[in-house]
């Protein structure tokens, strides 16, 4: 796959925190995961839109960063994080 190609699907992990009690970056373990597939559309963020398992996510295919996300039609709770799982399954 070329670097500019958009993958057909990703696994998005929803994690409950930004930092640990000491302020270090630590998103905690995934409380939910969703396999999302490309819709062929672009989201409001300008990145490709993916949907599946109740999650809609705009994902930057170059950095694998979730740029926008809704879960079951709503925003993530404050402080939660959405990440793309790495190849090892995170």
């Amino acid at each position: 796959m070329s670097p500019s190609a958009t993958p057909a699907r990703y696994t998005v992990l929803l994690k409950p925190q930004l930092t640990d009690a000491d302020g270090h970056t630590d998103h905690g373990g995934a409380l939910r995961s969703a396999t999302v597939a490309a819709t062929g559309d672009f989201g409001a963020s300008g990145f490709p839109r993916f949907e599946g398992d109740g999650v809609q996510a705009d994902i930057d295919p170059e950095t694998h960063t979730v740029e926008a996300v809704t879960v079951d039609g709503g925003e993530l709770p404050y402080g939660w994080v959405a990440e793309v799982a790495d190849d090892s399954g995170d």
Side-chain angles (χ1 to χ4, degrees), residues 63-89:
T63 64
H64 298 177
T65 301
V66 177
E67 298 292 341
V69 66
T70 60
V71 178
D72 299 330
E75 296 181 7
L76 284 179
Y78 181 76
W80 282 44
V81 175
E83 297 179 334
V84 170
D86 64 23
D87 292 329
S88 68

Side-chain angles (χ1 to χ4, degrees), residues 6-85:
T6 300
R9 72 185 82 249
Y10 288 103
T11 299
V12 174
L13 304 174
L14 304 177
K15 297 183 174 185
Q17 62 191 31
L18 298 174
T19 62
D20 64 16
D22 295 324
H24 302 108
T25 300
D26 177 4
H27 298 154
L31 296 181
R32 181 171 169 182
S33 66
T35 300
V36 295
T39 65
D41 294 326
F42 289 85
S45 68
F47 290 98
R49 168 70 49 96
F50 294 80
E51 294 182 5
D53 297 333
V55 174
Q56 291 184 340
D58 298 356
I59 299 174
D60 180 341
E62 289 188 29
T63 64
H64 298 177
T65 301
V66 177
E67 298 292 341
V69 66
T70 60
V71 178
D72 299 330
E75 296 181 7
L76 284 179
Y78 181 76
W80 282 44
V81 175
E83 297 179 334
V84 170

